[in-house]
Amino acid sequence: MRAAEETLVGWSGESREQLQQFLFQMILIREFEEKVGEQYTRAKIGGYCHLNIGEEATIVGAFSAIRPDDYIFTSYREHGHALARGIDPGAIMAELYGKATGVSKGRGGSMHLFDRETRFMGGYGIVGGHLPLAVGAGLAIDYRGGDEIVLCIFGEGATNIGAFHESLNLAKIWRLPIVWLCVNNHYAMGSPEHKDSAAEFLYRKALAYDMVGERVNGMDVLAVRRAMLEAVRRAREEREPVLLEADTYRYKGHSMADPGRYRSEEEVRAWLARDPIPAFRSQLTNAGLLTDQEYEAIVQRVRTIVEEAVEFAENSPFPDPSTLYDYLYASPERQWQS
């Protein structure tokens, strides 16, 4: 008799516990981001703030395929990426509050999460500005003969800038272990992709550099994981960079300041019908891998974690003004001279 897991479409050998962990992470990202939106409207969080709501399957599927010693470079829409990497939710929320206990010590805010211990190398505010940095990290790995890979995440708008093409070109010439993950949510701020890109399918831009490119259903966590596992294998074992395009959607506007009125109600409803969380829950339930009681336990666990994260942020201090010039330079001598 086939095991229940084997009845899942896209199953790649994951255990029941691992599959439920994927669902847990997706719900954690959703609930965390909804709480961030709430706290932003209460003026607890300032500055620009971009949410991952709708992109959970892409995030969890991608991060499930990399190792703890791999490197991550990502864009400003990265709260969910940090959660999927295992960074403490309290430290992330505190960073959004600008508190000293934040993952970037309260100096980065929403767009600049950074955690050296988990090799989460940021959170960058400039569109595509981190792609050349990923090339540098890939070159460093290659130079010292390491077997780590770099996961570089960006939106579809970044594929139209010069740094994207320069970075992919160098990655291919030098055969660097980089997986380029384009999270295509179809809007660069309020501009639909067909107005920005001459190419209809963005993964085909890899062809210009004789690089493997693939498009995957970004609303299906197992499909993303399967595609990422192969991309990571190519990068790690064959030193072949890969461009992976995840077809997904953000249910909110570009940022908290954007009501998203450039999208029709019909379009949003169509994507809501593909919501990755209820879809994956149904998959697991139908396969006999999740009961209603287990689902409710996951939701309650997530809500406790999110409430504790808010409480931690609320009770944390702001950075002391005397530390204003700390962390500006890597060298203490340079810091003193400044």
Side-chain angles (χ1 to χ4, degrees):
M1 179 180 294
R2 296 175 66 192
E5 291 91 333
E6 295 181 55
T7 65
L8 282 177
V9 175
W11 182 70
S12 301
E14 300 85 0
S15 67
R16 174 191 182 113
E17 291 71 25
Q18 195 174 9
L19 293 165
Q20 289 195 9
Q21 179 65 13
F22 294 163
L23 181 64
F24 162 78
Q25 288 183 312
M26 291 166 68
I27 296 173
L28 175 60
I29 294 169
R30 177 70 58 90
E31 297 259 348
F32 185 93
E33 290 290 62
E34 288 178 344
K35 182 60 72 174
V36 168
E38 175 188 314
Q39 299 303 88
Y40 190 92
T41 59
R42 296 179 62 202
K44 296 288 186 178
I45 297 171
Y48 288 105
C49 186
H50 312 78
L51 306 179
N52 285 126
I53 295 175
E55 300 177 352
E56 296 88 353
T58 293
I59 299 167
V60 173
F63 278 79
S64 74
I66 62 174
R67 295 190 326 209
D69 60 346
D70 291 331
Y71 293 87
I72 297 110
F73 290 81
T74 186
S75 67
Y76 45 77
R77 194 182 304 282
E78 89 280 40
H79 309 161
H81 304 173
L83 290 168
R85 189 54 168 170
I87 298 174
D88 176 49
I92 299 171
M93 188 67 81
E95 186 60 41
L96 304 186
Y97 272 61
K99 297 297 185 71
T101 55
V103 68
S104 303
K105 304 185 186 303
R107 289 161 164 77
S110 170
M111 296 197 290
H112 301 287
L113 305 181
F114 180 93
D115 183 49
R116 185 168 58 182
E117 287 189 11
T118 60
R119 298 194 169 182
F120 193 90
M121 310 309 287
Y124 292 86
I126 303 301
V127 173
H130 57 296
L131 274 67
L133 303 181
V135 172
L139 182 61
I141 292 170
D142 189 64
Y143 184 76
R144 56 181 170 73
D147 72 341
E148 307 98 321
I149 64 106
V150 178
L151 171 59
C152 184
I153 308 170
F154 47 90
E156 76 287 343
T159 68
N160 302 315
I161 67 173
F164 168 82
H165 297 281
E166 294 162 357
S167 298
L168 266 66
N169 186 53
L170 280 179
K172 180 64 182 183
I173 290 173
W174 293 338
R175 297 178 66 99
L176 301 180
I178 304 175
V179 176
W180 305 103
L181 177 60
C182 173
V183 181
N184 183 0
N185 59 31
H186 301 283
Y187 288 92
M189 296 187 72
S191 181
E193 62 180 303
H194 70 270
K195 289 189 175 180
D196 288 342
S197 176
E200 181 178 1
F201 297 105
L202 305 184
Y203 73 95
R204 291 180 179 170
K205 294 185 179 183
L207 294 174
Y209 307 103
D210 199 18
M211 185 184 298
V212 172
E214 184 181 354
R215 194 172 201 236
V216 64
N217 177 6
M219 308 302 270
D220 183 336
V221 63
L222 295 184
V224 175
R225 173 174 163 76
R226 190 168 63 252
M228 270 293 298
L229 285 170
E230 175 58 17
V232 168
R233 187 199 65 75
R234 283 180 181 273
R236 198 185 310 280
E237 298 178 7
E238 301 176 6
R239 282 294 197 267
E240 285 288 349
V242 177
L243 173 61
L244 188 63
E245 176 192 357
D247 180 30
T248 185
Y249 201 72
R250 55 170 161 79
Y251 291 142
K252 301 293 184 181
H254 170 71
S255 70
M256 288 299 298
D258 173 19
R261 291 177 182 148
Y262 41 84
R263 307 184 295 190
S264 70
E265 293 182 4
E266 292 76 14
E267 177 185 302
V268 175
R269 276 200 298 271
W271 280 96
L272 283 170
R274 298 175 56 191
D275 191 324
I277 294 177
F280 191 50
R281 178 191 177 186
S282 295
Q283 275 186 279
L284 296 183
T285 301
N286 294 338
L289 297 169
L290 180 74
T291 66
D292 289 344
Q293 291 76 18
E294 287 172 326
Y295 175 76
E296 290 303 324
I298 289 173
V299 171
Q300 287 307 314
R301 180 180 161 210
V302 163
R303 289 178 179 168
T304 298
I305 291 171
V306 172
E307 288 303 325
E308 289 177 350
V310 171
E311 184 178 353
F312 177 75
E314 291 275 2
N315 295 327
S316 292
F318 286 106
D320 190 295
S322 67
T323 66
L324 180 63
Y325 296 105
D326 288 356
Y327 313 116
L328 293 180
Y329 298 99
S331 163
E333 293 78 15
R334 184 70 175 174
Q335 176 70 45
W336 178 81
Q337 290 171 4
S338 70

